[in-house]
Each structure stands twice: as C-alpha cells, then as structure tokens.
Amino acid sequence: MDENSAMQIESGVSLKPYNTFGLPAVAQTLVRVQGDADVRRVVDHPELGLAPKFILGGGSNIVLTRDMPQVVLKVEVKGWRLVEERRDAYIVEGGAGETWHEFVKWTLDHGYPGLENLALIPGTVGAAPVQNIGAYGVELKDRFESLDAVDLVTGRSVTLGPTLCAFGYRSSVFKHALAGRSLITRVRLRLPKPWAPVLNYLELERKVMETGITRPSPHQVAEWICAIRRAKLPDPREIGNAGSFFKNPVVTPEQCRDIIGRDPEVVHYPMPDGTMKLAAGWMIDACGWKGKSVGQAAVYEKQALVLVNRGGAIGSEVMTLARAIQESVYGRFGIRLEPEPVVV
Ligand SMILES: Cc1cc2nc3c(=O)[nH]c(=O)nc-3n(C[C@H](O)[C@H](O)[C@H](O)COP(=O)(O)OP(=O)(O)OC[C@H]3O[C@@H](n4cnc5c(N)ncnc54)[C@H](O)[C@@H]3O)c2cc1C
C-alpha cells in the first residue's frame, strides 16, 4: 500500500456519536489521524491541505452548533509507554488518541502514580493539555513534561515544553495562538518520586475522615475520586453533557468584596497568587437556574454548572440557554461567565 492510499477520507459523517453532549452535526469531510505521517499527508493533500481544519478528540469539551465545513481531523494516535525512570520521577508517554482515563489506569496499574486525582475525566490524552485539565487539587501542568505536535500549515513536527505551552486555568497556547494550528500527537508526563497523595480538597478530606484511611494508596485515591465524580456529575453515556459549562471566574480581591457586598453568601476561594476564584455553579444556582430548560437543553438538577441534553437537544438550544444564564448572572453579580467548552 502506498502512503496516499493509506489515508481514508470519509464524507458526510454524523458527529453525534463523537460528542458527549450528543448534539447533531455532520462533518463534510473527516480524516482519521494515527500518527504524524497522516497529518503531513493531509497538509500535503492538493485539496485538504489548504482547507480549514478542526481537531477532534473525544468530543467531551465541545458544543456543536452547526454542520462542519472544515476538515475534521479525528485524532486516533495510539500507544503508551514508560519513557524513562529518573532518580526523582517516572516519565510516561501517551498517544493523543488514547482515552485519558484508560491512560491513568495504565499508569496506576504499572506503579507510576501521580495522575490519580485526574481519574475519570472524559476525553483523550491529546486534549488534556489544550485546556490544562484539572480536578481535585491537581492540574495537568503539575505533571507535564513535554508534548509532540504537528503544525497544520507547514506539516513540521515540534516538541514543546511547559513554558511554550503557556498553561493557565483551563487554558494553554492551544486555546489561543496555536488554536486549530497544532495537532498534538503525543504527551509526556513527569510523575514525581516518591509519590505523595494530594488530599487537600474538602471532599477528599471527608473521605479520609469517613474511612479512617490516613495514608491511602494511589489506587485508593483514584477510587475515591471516581466515587466522588460519579455521585456529582452526569455520566455522558446516560445523559449528554460537556462537564462544567462555565469556568469559575477569577477576580481581584476588590472585585470579590464588591460581589460579596451584593450577596454575602457568594462562595469564593483565595488563590495562591492573591486573586479570588468564585464558584460559578453557586452563582447560577442563586439565580434560580437549576432544572430550567430551553427546548431539550437544561441545567442539571444536581449541579447548576452542568448543562445537559435531555434528549434530542440541538446546539442552538444549548447556546440560547447558556446566554440567558450569562445575562442573569451578570445582572445579579456583575460577572460575565465564560463558557469552558469550545463552541463550534
Ligand atoms: C462529565 C464530564 C466531566 C468533565 N470533568 C472535567 C474536569 O474535571 N476537569 C477538566 O479539566 N475537564 C473536564 N471535562 C472536560 C473534558 O473532559 C476535557 O476538557 C477533555 O480534556 C476534553 O478531551 P476531548 O478529547 O474530549 O477533547 P475534544 O472535546 O474533542 O476537544 C476539545 C478541544 O481540544 C482540541 N483538541 C482535541 N484534541 C486535540 C489534539 N490532539 N491536538 C490539538 N487540539 C486538540 C479540540 O480542537 C477542541 O478545541 C469534563 C467533561 C465531561 C463530559
């Protein structure tokens, strides 16, 4: 088989099974990418090369509002390995198309702990750096070593370290300067030795108290995390959603005082850099949104930060609901909520 015949170009592909919200949209053209060479074939292709492109991982952080004229590059780069054992860390690598949670399980089962607080986050390894995934006191950037990516204009492969990735709260260079420009193919993580559990999060502290286990194993922490997440978040296999729909706003202490002036009960947390993080879910709930809907798009009854598809919702319903929430939160608290998923 020559190099070009290996590339499969699919037309008119329904993306409904490929996004966890279960929103309908059709990709005019879809190409499955299994490695750097596949990306270069697309870049060098006489028609596809110049066409706009959209990179698709597990579809767990996107809102599809329309059919997609762009070439959808579905990332299916497989494999994981221990790259190196250093005196003070294990360096592990995952293919961008691997499921994040399966990768976390593999690291734990092979004795490379450090990702347990990020267990059960949906999506792929390749998308994890895009929004610097985070949960229960750990962010991807805390374990990040480097990644490989292919430039979608030049076809050149590059390796980027943490500085160039410019990680921030649910943000990185891949959401800004390199958005849609760089396709991540492999991610390497640095898992420090000796392992120490990260338990300074209210729900984890509660688990320690309930069980009396003060020195949990990495597997035990992962089990706790999975149980906490299952109790709180809707399973996308049962009810379509994209996790937290809005970012928690980060404000200055002065802005925070102003908001507390409007409502003394507003939930807020001091950040290490002196800023304050406000609980977006609390503000949405305070505006009375829990359970409200637009068409088949609704605010999840158990957690106001999550918007769900009650069955048959379309992207425009989700966005109409999101805008109405933004307006009412702005009206009451003077804060503009920013969506976390990528709206396409
Ligand atoms: C129930 C639920 C719970 C969640 N909980 C959390 C949580 O606790 N913490 C958290 O941070 N997130 C959470 N999320 C959001 C989501 O799981 C993460 O953002 C995840 O990393 C998205 O991965 P994905 O493969 O599905 O990306 P997609 O949704 O496919 O893509 C997201 C963005 O990344 C880009 N992208 C995807 N793959 C690549 C690649 N290989 N190279 C370059 N760009 C790429 C896409 O173009 C798009 O812009 C949750 C989502 C759900 C549904």
Side-chain angles (χ1 to χ4, degrees):
M1 202 183 279
D2 71 37
E3 286 227 314
N4 280 327
S5 64
M7 185 165 79
Q8 286 177 18
I9 304 172
E10 299 168 42
S11 306
V13 179
S14 165
L15 297 177
K16 202 169 174 180
Y18 295 144
N19 75 100
T20 60
F21 233 125
L23 299 171
V26 172
Q28 207 171 298
T29 310
L30 183 141
V31 178
R32 293 171 197 273
V33 166
Q34 271 136 26
D36 297 35
D38 286 342
V39 185
R40 270 192 288 277
R41 260 178 230 129
V42 172
V43 172
D44 293 340
H45 190 277
E47 284 135 44
L48 305 185
L50 290 174
K53 301 180 183 65
F54 180 78
I55 306 164
L56 179 64
S60 66
N61 210 25
I62 54 173
V63 183
L64 297 175
T65 59
R66 57 185 169 87
D67 289 343
M68 299 191 65
Q70 304 98 312
V71 176
V72 173
L73 300 175
K74 184 155 188 321
V75 182
E76 297 185 349
V77 182
K78 293 293 180 190
W80 43 48
R81 65 186 179 116
L82 173 68
V83 177
E84 189 187 345
E85 181 174 354
R86 296 184 190 155
R87 190 184 43 80
D88 61 350
Y90 294 106
I91 309 298
V92 293
E93 179 183 88
E98 293 287 358
T99 302
W100 172 259
H101 180 63
E102 294 303 319
F103 178 60
V104 172
K105 275 204 310 209
W106 171 80
T107 58
L108 292 173
D109 291 347
H110 286 75
Y112 318 131
L115 299 177
E116 53 286 337
N117 291 49
L118 302 175
L120 216 60
I121 296 181
T124 55
V125 169
V130 174
Q131 76 149 358
N132 178 28
I133 57 168
Y136 301 96
V138 176
E139 286 185 320
L140 183 95
K141 73 171 171 54
D142 303 327
R143 303 283 182 267
F144 183 77
E145 174 76 6
S146 62
L147 59 77
D148 299 333
V150 186
D151 187 294
L152 290 178
V153 174
T154 64
R156 225 175 296 144
S157 297
V158 288
T159 295
L160 304 184
T163 309
L164 288 176
C165 288
F167 293 119
Y169 167 58
R170 299 294 179 274
S171 166
S172 75
V173 71
F174 302 100
K175 278 205 151 184
H176 299 283
L178 294 183
R181 168 87 197 240
S182 252
L183 187 147
I184 298 165
T185 49
R186 270 171 299 274
V187 180
R188 281 171 295 278
L189 299 167
R190 183 183 177 284
L191 308 177
K193 292 197 287 185
W195 174 79
V198 178
L199 299 172
N200 48 348
Y201 211 92
L202 185 65
E203 283 143 306
L204 287 169
E205 284 164 3
R206 214 175 274 151
K207 287 279 181 197
V208 172
M209 302 270 277
E210 277 166 21
T211 59
I213 303 172
T214 52
R215 300 180 65 188
S217 68
H219 274 98
Q220 179 67 76
V221 177
E223 238 173 72
W224 285 345
I225 294 283
C226 291
I228 294 166
R229 294 184 68 95
R230 285 193 179 110
K232 224 164 72 169
L233 291 165
D235 181 343
R237 286 170 304 186
E238 284 155 24
I239 180 156
N241 75 93
S244 303
F245 198 91
F246 296 101
K247 293 183 190 180
N248 288 318
V250 178
V251 298
T252 63
E254 295 73 45
Q255 283 172 308
C256 193
R257 271 194 294 277
D258 172 55
I259 293 158
I260 291 168
R262 294 174 190 229
D263 192 328
E265 284 178 48
V266 70
V267 177
H268 57 284
Y269 312 91
M271 301 297 287
D273 63 359
T275 57
M276 303 296 277
K277 194 183 267 187
L278 304 169
W282 185 91
M283 291 196 264
I284 298 167
D285 195 14
C287 292
W289 279 101
K290 242 184 216 171
K292 296 267 169 63
S293 57
V294 169
Q296 289 301 97
V299 180
Y300 190 46
E301 282 88 354
K302 291 195 217 161
Q303 163 60 273
L305 195 52
V306 179
L307 303 192
V308 295
N309 178 354
R310 283 188 176 156
I314 55 174
S316 59
E317 290 172 343
V318 175
M319 292 316 295
T320 304
L321 177 61
R323 275 190 289 272
I325 293 170
Q326 281 171 315
E327 272 165 34
S328 81
V329 168
Y330 186 73
R332 173 149 175 196
F333 297 103
I335 286 284
R336 185 78 61 199
L337 292 181
E338 200 188 318
E340 188 186 292
V342 176
V343 180
V344 190

